[in-house]
């Protein structure tokens, strides 16, 4: 029996509704039951609360090493509950954003200037890497180890990243492994090397 137009319309609306609910359920941050969240210690707010100048002048900088400028709920409290944050990544010639993860969000990177090699490793230990050019975008799935590297040793690169969380979190693999006080014997055994090599790596991590 053919469906009439009103039944078809109702079915389409229900389908759209359930798709929207499913997407909400998969969001990185808990949903909120109000328009926005105001800090408890804030007695007055206006449009200024929803405005941030944290990125002002960021493109005028010329950092000597890899630099990231963040706009998370820590720097921009109005983002709390909005499931979004932002970062500007600046790569001097030959610099790298070391292996790291974002446990609470995926990352969508847009290359504004220069070239960039990017990559992530999935749970099957498969490496997916790409060389990006200006105007390219690349997505890093939530929670997976990834990196960005400016292979151009004669020019800088700049990228903008958006995250599906107001507080995506960053876990640095080198710092987590070699900079948190894990017994050197455990590390030497895990990496099939000697204790002196582990100590040299730890020394390099603490100096960086």
């Amino acid at each position: 029996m053919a469906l009439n137009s009103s039944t078809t319309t109702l079915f389409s609306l229900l389908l759209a509704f359930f798709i929207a609910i499913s997407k909400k359920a998969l969001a990185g941050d808990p949903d909120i039951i109000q328009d926005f969240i105001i800090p408890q210690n804030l007695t007055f707010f206006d449009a200024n609360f929803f405005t941030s100048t944290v990125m002002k002048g960021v493109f005028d900088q010329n950092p000597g090493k890899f630099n990231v400028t963040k706009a998370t709920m820590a720097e921009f409290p109005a983002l709390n509950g909005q499931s979004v944050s932002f970062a500007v990544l600046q790569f001097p010639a030959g610099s790298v954003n070391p292996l790291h993860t974002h446990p609470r969000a995926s990352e969508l990177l847009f290359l504004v200037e220069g070239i960039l090699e990017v990559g992530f490793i999935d749970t099957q230990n498969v490496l997916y890497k790409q060389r990006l050019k200006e105007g390219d975008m690349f997505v890093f799935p939530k929670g997976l180890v990834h990196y960005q590297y400016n292979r151009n040793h004669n020019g800088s690169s700049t990228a903008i990243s958006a995250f599906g969380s107001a507080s995506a979190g960053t876990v640095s693999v080198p710092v987590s492994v070699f900079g948190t006080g894990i017994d050197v014997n455990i590390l030497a055994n895990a990496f099939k090397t000697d204790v002196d090599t582990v100590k040299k790596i730890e020394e390099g991590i603490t100096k960086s």
Side-chain angles (χ1 to χ4, degrees):
M1 182 177 66
L3 297 175
N4 59 40
S5 60
S6 60
T7 303
T8 302
T9 300
L10 177 60
F11 176 80
S12 299
L13 289 173
L14 286 172
L15 180 61
F17 173 78
F18 283 117
I19 290 174
I21 291 296
S22 298
K23 288 182 178 180
K24 286 288 186 180
L26 294 173
D29 294 350
D31 202 3
I32 59 175
I33 56 173
Q34 59 205 72
D35 295 334
F36 42 81
I37 298 175
I38 301 298
Q40 292 183 348
N41 62 347
L42 192 64
T43 57
F44 171 81
F45 68 94
D46 55 16
N48 289 320
F49 174 72
F50 303 97
T51 306
S52 173
T53 59
V54 68
M55 295 293 176
K56 185 169 290 185
V58 68
F59 295 113
D60 297 328
Q61 300 176 5
N62 188 23
K65 61 180 181 178
F66 169 73
N67 182 68
V68 57
T69 305
K70 300 179 181 179
T72 71
M73 59 181 284
E75 296 83 17
F76 190 6
L79 296 180
N80 187 12
Q82 302 305 316
S83 298
V84 66
S85 57
F86 195 76
V88 173
L89 291 74
Q90 295 170 295
F91 300 83
S95 62
V96 63
N97 185 5
L99 293 166
H100 63 283
T101 71
H102 301 295
R104 292 183 289 275
S106 54
E107 174 182 358
L108 180 61
L109 180 145
F110 171 57
L111 186 59
V112 177
E113 175 190 30
I115 63 171
L116 210 58
E117 179 184 306
V118 300
F120 70 85
I121 305 161
D122 71 7
T123 55
Q124 303 300 314
N125 288 326
V126 177
L127 171 64
Y128 298 87
K129 68 177 182 178
Q130 185 65 273
R131 180 170 291 193
L132 305 182
K133 298 178 181 179
E134 186 175 313
D136 288 343
M137 302 178 75
F138 192 86
V139 63
F140 302 96
K142 178 181 177 180
L144 297 185
V145 173
H146 61 280
Y147 68 92
Q148 299 107 18
Y149 172 46
N150 180 9
R151 279 196 174 276
N152 184 357
H153 287 236
N154 297 306
S156 61
S157 297
T158 303
I160 297 173
S161 284
F163 302 89
S165 169
S167 181
T170 300
V171 179
S172 168
V173 174
V175 173
S176 295
V177 175
F178 294 102
T180 54
I182 298 175
D183 189 287
V184 292
N185 294 288
I186 295 174
L187 293 175
N189 186 272
F191 287 93
K192 303 295 188 291
T193 188
D194 56 84
V195 169
D196 287 340
T197 299
V198 171
K199 288 182 177 179
K200 287 180 180 179
I201 296 173
E202 289 183 334
E203 184 179 352
I205 293 296
T206 57
K207 286 182 177 180
S208 61

